[in-house]
Amino acid sequence: MAMLFALGMGLGAAAIACFAWRMLAAWRTLGSLLAALREGDYGVRGSLPSRHHPLRGMIADINAVSDTLREGRRKRTESLRFLGKTLTALQDPIFVVDREQRLVMINPAARELIGAAHDSVIGRDADAMGLMPVVVASDNAILSWEFPARTGRWIVRRAVWYSEGYENTMVMLHDVSAALGDEERNAWQRLIRVLSHELNNSLAPIGSLAGSLSALLDQHGGDAVEDDLREGLEVIERRSDSLARFLAGYGRLARLPPLRAQAFRLDLSLRRLARLEDRMQIGVEGSAEVVVNGDEAQLDQAFINLLRNAVESALASGGGVRVNWMVAGAQVRVTIEDEGGGLPERSSLFVPFFTTKPTGSGIGLSLTRLIVEAHAGSVDLRNRSDGPGAVAVVVLPLGT
Ligand code: ADP
């Protein structure tokens, strides 16, 4: 009897020990699972104990949570990869800054624009990089800005979002110089066509009428009235001639011939154009050999206009003019600096017919912009920061 009791006790103790051991193993599994989750390791799965084990349900739940988290991470990684690839493929420059205006992301187009290597700019202050006006510009603003690699008029798109409670701002720039130029050009070309048509219609009869009246006077005239009349008619004739010439000038804006592009040495053209100026000696500072692909005659015209303006401004104040060029990346940057009186207080220098000169036509700068933008380049005119006078900056893509 006593033996049986002892045996029963022994078996009971063994069963309790076995149960305790299984519980311990299950708790250990739970502990390791939770530790793995805490470490972000969602690949670990707990093996399920036997069907009646009290912790089986809990381990199964943690496995399910782990699966959900793993799936969530997979989706997040895929979306981030997709976003990264999209930003890389976009040709518009994109900058992302945090709330302290430090650069946290930049795509290749933006890197190329500011001429920087990836690692050297991440974490840098936008202000120190001279990007502040860009990152604080309001949504849809149009910004004229000169980046190291390209000058242009940019439309700004911005989006703000919060990541881990902190504000991030994405700024995307889209170069609208050409689009704006096209719009302006179309409007002006329509206006010019109408003006030319109307004026020509009036000028032709005025001119011929004046001519035939003079002829009539030649045949029948003879007294003092005749002299006054003749003088008046001559004025009419002269004015109509000069008005016709004036119109022909404006007409050039509306009828810029199609580009006849071929590779040519821009540096040689600039030297030649500088030598052509006989009112003063233009300083030539550039030395690099530069080949561009373009219509040499039209680009000559564009640079002649800028040089002529610079010389006229410099002559008025007894200063000089310098032309320089340098290659930056895949572009050439030509500068024409003068020591004249600087630009008039107007933002419409490039608007056709704007002139401050008594005999000016106001088409030089518009024509220049038309030509340069037709060559996928940009032109800008501003006051110099290092002295009196203005500087014209033309940026053109290099040829092959
Ligand atoms: P125009 O020379 O016939 O006036 P433009 O379109 O070439 O026509 O120039 C428009 C105006 O821009 C000029 O009348 C002048 O007021 C201003 N401008 C252009 N270039 C310069 C310069 N280098 N310095 C000062 N003002 C300039």
Side-chain angles (χ1 to χ4, degrees):
M1 185 64 185
M3 254 222 352
L4 268 178
F5 179 72
L7 190 67
M9 285 291 282
L11 281 176
I16 290 173
C18 176
F19 178 73
W21 184 83
R22 278 174 52 218
M23 283 299 282
L24 204 65
W27 277 116
R28 270 210 203 101
T29 307
L30 268 179
S32 323
L33 277 177
L34 290 173
L37 287 187
R38 204 174 42 239
E39 296 295 316
D41 181 358
Y42 308 140
V44 177
R45 308 192 89 254
S47 59
L48 294 181
S50 61
R51 200 133 41 97
H52 302 296
H53 195 289
L55 292 181
R56 180 187 165 94
M58 202 181 285
I59 293 178
D61 283 348
I62 294 185
N63 281 346
V65 167
S66 187
D67 286 347
T68 312
L69 288 174
R70 193 174 55 228
E71 184 57 15
R73 179 151 72 188
R74 189 184 63 76
K75 284 191 180 144
R76 217 171 39 248
T77 313
E78 277 177 3
S79 340
L80 278 177
R81 204 172 293 146
F82 176 69
L83 180 68
K85 288 212 154 102
T86 312
L87 293 188
T88 305
L90 276 179
Q91 292 188 344
D92 284 336
I94 294 175
F95 303 89
V96 180
V97 290
D98 63 15
R99 69 191 167 130
E100 272 147 14
Q101 316 290 19
R102 279 183 315 233
L103 212 56
V104 290
M105 217 214 76
I106 180 167
N107 72 342
R111 261 186 349 248
E112 193 184 309
L113 197 63
I114 60 173
H118 185 253
D119 296 338
S120 65
V121 287
I122 294 297
R124 278 191 62 196
D125 190 41
D127 197 14
M129 294 169 68
L131 289 176
M132 212 51 182
V134 176
V135 298
V136 300
S138 48
D139 196 27
N140 279 327
I142 293 185
L143 194 75
S144 289
W145 196 251
E146 185 187 348
F147 290 99
R150 191 145 47 107
T151 303
R153 283 182 290 170
W154 312 85
I155 187 156
V156 179
R157 299 265 188 241
R158 58 188 292 127
V160 175
W161 80 93
Y162 290 85
S163 165
E164 293 166 2
Y166 294 116
E167 185 184 288
N168 285 294
T169 307
M170 179 176 89
V171 179
M172 177 166 148
L173 302 177
H174 181 68
D175 191 351
V176 286
S177 321
L180 287 179
D182 278 350
E183 272 303 303
E184 278 171 21
R185 191 155 55 240
N186 286 340
W188 286 114
Q189 285 179 347
R190 271 198 302 278
L191 179 67
I192 291 165
R193 265 188 229 116
V194 173
L195 274 179
S196 304
H197 178 75
E198 291 303 317
L199 284 170
N200 275 327
N201 277 353
S202 317
L203 282 176
I206 291 176
S208 77
L209 203 64
S212 36
L213 281 177
S214 297
L216 210 66
L217 273 175
D218 282 343
Q219 287 163 20
H220 306 289
D223 53 20
V225 178
E226 178 191 319
D227 289 342
D228 288 350
L229 249 173
R230 195 188 305 279
E231 206 178 302
L233 288 172
E234 271 167 14
V235 170
I236 292 178
E237 213 169 348
R238 266 203 319 275
R239 286 308 309 148
S240 57
D241 275 355
S242 77
L243 207 50
R245 276 201 307 279
F246 199 53
L247 271 179
Y250 287 156
R252 281 193 299 148
L253 262 187
R255 286 187 297 275
L256 196 64
L259 291 190
R260 298 220 307 226
Q262 59 178 39
F264 72 94
R265 286 273 301 277
L266 181 68
D267 55 316
L268 298 183
S269 299
L270 290 171
R271 284 181 193 287
R272 176 171 45 79
L273 296 178
R275 274 198 308 272
L276 279 184
E277 177 56 59
D278 50 13
R279 290 170 292 177
M280 68 160 64
Q281 189 163 358
I282 295 179
V284 177
E285 295 184 340
S287 57
E289 287 187 8
V290 179
V291 175
V292 297
N293 212 1
D295 188 318
E296 187 172 4
Q298 286 195 24
L299 283 172
D300 271 5
Q301 186 57 56
F303 284 111
I304 287 173
N305 293 345
L306 296 175
L307 287 166
R308 196 202 58 217
N309 279 342
V311 167
E312 281 169 7
S313 180
L315 279 175
S317 50
V321 172
R322 286 183 299 275
V323 53
N324 198 353
W325 58 89
M326 61 203 69
V327 171
Q331 294 176 313
V332 55
R333 187 172 186 275
V334 182
T335 53
I336 296 169
E337 286 183 311
D338 66 65
E339 293 168 340
L343 301 173
E345 296 271 317
R346 283 289 296 253
S347 57
S348 40
L349 296 178
F350 286 90
V351 169
F353 316 135
F354 170 74
T355 181
T356 53
K357 302 173 190 168
T359 54
S361 65
I363 59 163
L365 290 178
S366 327
L367 195 62
T368 299
R369 174 170 273 173
L370 207 64
I371 294 171
V372 172
E373 288 182 353
H375 285 81
S378 64
V379 54
D380 190 32
L381 187 64
R382 62 182 102 98
N383 280 324
R384 284 170 51 200
S385 52
D386 58 343
V391 55
V393 181
V394 176
V395 179
L396 287 168
L398 287 178
T400 42

